[in-house]
Amino acid sequence: MGERDMKIGFIGLGNMGAPMAANLITAGHEVTGFDTAAAPDGVTMAATAAAAAKDADVVITMLPNGAILRAVAAEIHPAMAEGAVHLDCSTVDVESALAVADAAANKGLGAVDAPVS
């Protein structure tokens, strides 16, 4: 990997997440994904969300609702290295977004809320 290439975990590879992951691969990043249904070309698939998050510089979530986001965050945050960033692109309720950001901060992680609608 080059200086700018990152190791990225991507959770939620549906209609929105799969093209985003493909663009990251095209840009030269290493992407490990987890989803219950999709496996886009070029993405190394993990058996669990936590496995996709392990050793990642950034973990991107693109999930359908706040309850799923909270559950996934509870799984991935313990697997992430201190200083890594959880970049959430899910369009969810404000309370869930804030709760997940607080949980990330409590684990020594960065948190970015970047919803896609």
Side-chain angles (χ1 to χ4, degrees):
M1 290 193 324
E3 261 184 71
R4 297 173 44 132
D5 298 337
M6 292 187 290
K7 184 172 181 185
I8 300 170
F10 207 114
I11 318 299
L13 297 165
N15 290 337
M16 299 289 279
M20 291 171 66
N23 285 338
L24 292 167
I25 290 167
T26 299
H29 302 291
E30 178 184 339
V31 179
T32 301
F34 175 75
D35 198 297
T36 57
D41 288 344
V43 175
T44 301
M45 296 303 291
T48 65
K54 186 177 180 349
D55 299 324
D57 302 304
V58 176
V59 177
I60 300 170
T61 47
M62 176 65 84
L63 301 167
N65 63 54
I68 293 172
L69 173 61
R70 288 176 189 240
V72 168
E75 181 181 347
I76 65 173
H77 288 172
M80 294 172 69
E82 186 173 343
V85 173
H86 180 182
L87 172 62
D88 180 45
C89 295
S90 309
T91 301
V92 299
D93 59 284
V94 172
E95 293 80 12
S96 292
L98 291 172
V100 167
D102 287 344
N106 289 337
K107 296 280 186 182
L109 305 172
V112 178
D113 183 31
V116 174
S117 58

